[in-house]
Amino acid sequence: AASDANGWGVNLSECAKLWKGGCIIRAALLEKIQAALAKDVNLANLMVDSGFAAELNSRQLSWRRIATLCIASGIPMPGICASLNYFDSYRTENLPANLTQAQRDFFGGHTYERTDKEGVFHTAWTDAHKDIGDINERKQGENVQK
């Protein structure tokens, strides 16, 4: 992204190739990264490469089991758990973040977006929520839902 934004022309496949020589990760993983980036120079994420996607999908049950066992045993595994959460969020179109938007609107009148129509909305959830000020002054283009 920075290379594109600044016009540097960084070839990520070549970067992976250069790292192989002195990196502790070494050849196996970096060769796969280099191959994926060489195959698609506009690859948005390694997880969408067919080879990486197949490996991740074939190993995800074991990945989940390790995370679950660690959590159940009180063993902190922030890298394993965070990477699994990232994997799940990347491949899921709609997530509980929609609930977070609703909660923010309920408690603070922060508005939300909907998946079924364009715009930014606020709901008067109860009678106590009717007077939150002029929402149009806070956010232009709002659609207040009642």
Side-chain angles (χ1 to χ4, degrees), residues 91-102:
R91 63 191 187 92
T92 305
E93 185 175 354
N94 293 310
L95 294 168
N98 300 340
L99 177 59
T100 303
Q101 283 191 77

Side-chain angles (χ1 to χ4, degrees), residues 101 110-114 117-122 135 139-145:
Q101 283 191 77
H110 293 286
T111 74
Y112 57 92
E113 294 179 13
R114 294 175 48 170
K117 51 170 94 164
E118 292 291 320
V120 179
F121 302 90
H122 167 68
I135 195 73
K139 304 239 183 199
Q140 288 189 336
E142 286 240 35
N143 298 307
V144 175
Q145 302 293 301

Side-chain angles (χ1 to χ4, degrees), residues 9-130:
V10 175
N11 182 329
L12 295 177
S13 176
E14 284 299 309
C15 287
K17 183 178 178 181
L18 291 171
W19 290 337
K20 283 193 304 188
C23 182
I24 59 170
I25 298 172
R26 286 286 176 175
L29 178 59
L30 287 171
E31 283 177 9
K32 291 177 183 180
I33 293 171
Q34 180 188 2
L37 293 169
K39 183 170 54 173
D40 182 358
V41 296
N42 295 315
L43 189 64
N45 188 306
L46 287 171
M47 291 189 297
V48 299
D49 172 73
S50 59
F52 276 91
E55 285 198 43
L56 288 169
N57 286 322
S58 71
R59 291 178 167 90
Q60 72 168 307
L61 290 177
S62 298
W63 192 4
R64 293 177 192 289
R65 185 163 191 269
I66 292 295
T68 302
L69 289 170
C70 289
I71 290 168
S73 301
I75 300 170
M77 296 294 289
I80 295 288
C81 294
S83 61
L84 182 57
N85 285 330
Y86 179 73
F87 174 72
D88 286 338
S89 67
Y90 197 85
R91 63 191 187 92
T92 305
E93 185 175 354
N94 293 310
L95 294 168
N98 300 340
L99 177 59
T100 303
Q101 283 191 77
Q103 289 173 325
R104 291 183 69 240
D105 188 57
F106 180 90
F107 291 109
H110 293 286
T111 74
Y112 57 92
E113 294 179 13
R114 294 175 48 170
T115 58
D116 63 335
K117 51 170 94 164
E118 292 291 320
V120 179
F121 302 90
H122 167 68
T123 297
W125 300 93
T126 69
D127 289 343
H129 292 96
K130 288 186 178 178

